[in-house]
Amino acid sequence: MMRVAVVGAGIVGLSTAFALRRRGADVTVLESGPPGGGQSAGRGRIFRHAHADPRLVAQVVRSRSLWREWEDDLGVELVAPDGAVAIGDGVGSKLETLAQFPDAPARPLSRDELRERLPLLADYDGPAMLDVHGGAIRTRAAITALTDRLARAVEADHVLAVRRLDDGSVEIRTGTSSRAYDHVVLCAGRGTAALAGAVGMELPVELGAHVRLTFEVVHGPDGPGGPLPTFQDGSGAFGETGVYASPYPGSGHLAVGLSGHTPARPDGAVERPDELAALADRTVAYVRRALPGLRPDPVDHVHCWVTALPWGEDGVGIWSEDGVSAVAGHNLFKQAPVLGDALATTALTGSIPDDWSHTAELGRGE
Ligand SMILES: Cc1cc2nc3c(=O)[nH]c(=O)nc-3n(C[C@H](O)[C@H](O)[C@H](O)COP(=O)(O)OP(=O)(O)OC[C@H]3O[C@@H](n4cnc5c(N)ncnc54)[C@H](O)[C@@H]3O)c2cc1C
């Protein structure tokens, strides 16, 4: 049985370990903090099909069906069935791209339909669309169900060093152990580039810091009442052009963020921390203008690292050499099942499935 170590129990590491286990590998996940405590933290993410790179759309379509399969297997809802709404001038090209994918139905929304689906939005009369099978990812449910299923395979330990041995195996030194594996997969989020660099793989990760705020939905006679879709605003109608929002389970809260981030150095120093505060202030100001159905005082903040690749906001890639594989990219939650599957294939066969190699620059042009 092939022995594989996965470093990191965020959604990507857990998905990879789950795929490896299903294919009969002897898998160990090493995680220095609580599972899902890194970039995968928080209670919701957007599942959307629309991307500029049609190859990524195809992968996300596969991912949506894997999420469904996991829901059946794990017995828990993982993607809410309430759709993903987007507004702004980009809607036309998104609908054009999605028209090539019959398994990702999407359609324009009239002003009235938009108001019905998203009653907490201020009046808007511009291009709008619904991605029918998009929706809020139940991030906590996913992390918990995968961690539970992997059970004792998830070990609490910090990986200090990775080293190739002469017999072809790969050694991992942690805080409390030294063990050799047939293959090591680095899914350590912000920690991946450093671990990969030590075994000669240079990942061009651009590190940044991001903030997202959570707001309470105003319930009452004029409140939304029912389940909410996820929301992306690229319109500029309310003073910002890159806004995303994702409802928490029960739709009592909405997490809202501006898509920007502030740069950080590879050692993690945030160069301009005041920009993080400014992003938070702009988010609150946006909510006051655009989302009168929310109480404008945030109830919590999620601060997190962004690990982007130079070819696009949604860029993702796998590197693999002599028993060590690594993954990097941004906005990976939605495609974690299919990305984990690709990483499992890479670990078990030594070759990266088409499209996922970093040389393919998947997610280019976002
Ligand atoms: C606010 C916000 C909003 C987002 N919105 C979306 C969205 O709408 N849709 C979407 O698809 N994606 C979204 N993303 C991106 C998505 O959440 C991330 O791409 C994804 O969670 C990354 O998961 P990961 O497993 O690669 O990394 P992480 O979750 O960071 O996991 C890496 C793990 O490795 C561990 N680790 C690191 N170093 C070591 C070490 N040396 N030894 C042991 N363990 C180690 C860390 O503790 C961590 O738990 C968003 C991200 C944020 C922060």
Side-chain angles (χ1 to χ4, degrees):
M1 190 186 278
M2 192 158 170
R3 295 160 308 159
V4 184
V6 175
V7 182
I11 191 60
V12 176
L14 292 170
S15 300
T16 304
F18 190 46
L20 282 162
R21 170 75 72 78
R22 284 176 143 195
R23 295 203 215 165
D26 174 10
V27 64
T28 304
V29 183
L30 297 160
E31 168 58 59
S32 55
Q39 286 172 289
S40 305
R43 294 187 62 197
R45 294 288 187 275
I46 297 177
F47 188 100
R48 63 183 154 98
H49 290 90
H51 291 85
D53 183 343
R55 297 171 306 166
L56 188 53
V57 182
Q59 294 296 350
V60 168
V61 169
R62 280 188 55 221
S63 197
R64 185 70 183 88
S65 83
L66 270 182
W67 280 114
R68 280 193 199 98
E69 208 181 299
W70 288 12
E71 284 176 333
D72 291 342
D73 185 354
L74 299 168
V76 63
E77 180 182 89
L78 298 172
V79 181
D82 305 312
V85 165
I87 65 171
D89 287 340
V91 158
S93 68
K94 284 177 182 163
L95 287 171
E96 220 169 275
T97 306
L98 292 182
Q100 302 162 44
F101 296 91
D103 290 336
R107 60 180 174 83
L109 286 180
S110 69
R111 183 181 183 177
D112 287 346
E113 282 177 304
L114 177 64
R115 191 176 303 131
E116 204 176 298
R117 288 198 173 259
L118 203 59
L120 44 73
L121 181 68
D123 190 39
Y124 170 80
D125 190 16
M129 64 172 271
L130 174 70
D131 170 352
V132 177
H133 294 160
I137 305 173
R138 305 305 193 202
T139 49
R140 291 258 175 92
I143 297 283
T144 304
L146 289 170
T147 307
D148 288 352
R149 179 60 67 89
L150 290 161
R152 284 202 305 261
V154 182
E155 296 182 12
D157 219 338
H158 181 74
V159 173
L160 269 82
V162 179
R163 174 171 76 118
R164 294 190 184 91
L165 302 180
D166 291 341
D167 66 1
S169 63
V170 184
E171 178 195 72
I172 288 192
R173 286 183 181 269
T174 70
T176 60
S177 70
S178 164
R179 272 180 275 170
Y181 299 88
D182 299 312
H183 200 100
V184 169
V185 189
L186 303 174
C187 302
R190 201 214 124 185
T192 297
L195 291 168
V199 286
M201 294 193 288
E202 296 304 322
L203 276 51
V205 172
E206 296 164 1
L207 190 63
H210 176 71
V211 59
R212 184 184 88 175
L213 309 181
T214 307
F215 300 87
E216 197 182 340
V217 175
V218 182
H219 287 286
D222 302 322
L228 293 168
T230 64
F231 175 57
Q232 284 180 285
D233 179 1
S235 71
F238 304 104
E240 297 286 354
T241 50
V243 183
Y244 68 89
S246 181
Y248 280 5
S251 292
H253 292 87
L254 197 70
V256 185
L258 304 186
S259 56
H261 56 265
T262 185
R265 293 200 307 249
D267 66 4
V270 176
E271 290 168 8
R272 293 186 292 278
D274 48 328
E275 278 187 7
L276 266 183
L279 272 173
D281 292 346
R282 278 169 53 199
T283 307
V284 172
Y286 172 85
V287 163
R288 286 184 187 282
R289 289 189 298 269
L291 297 166
L294 299 180
R295 289 189 210 290
D297 300 316
V299 296
D300 76 21
H301 290 60
V302 172
H303 289 105
C304 61
W305 299 109
V306 172
T307 46
L309 291 169
W311 55 85
E313 266 291 295
D314 282 293
V316 50
I318 296 176
W319 285 252
S320 188
E321 262 175 56
D322 301 330
V324 183
S325 301
V327 60
H330 182 43
N331 281 332
L332 303 182
F333 219 111
K334 69 182 106 59
Q335 65 253 35
V338 72
L339 176 55
D341 202 47
L343 283 160
T345 300
T346 307
L348 297 175
T349 67
S351 68
I352 307 173
D354 283 353
D355 284 353
W356 290 104
S357 169
H358 64 98
T359 55
E361 298 192 352
L362 187 60
R364 194 167 44 217
E366 299 286 335

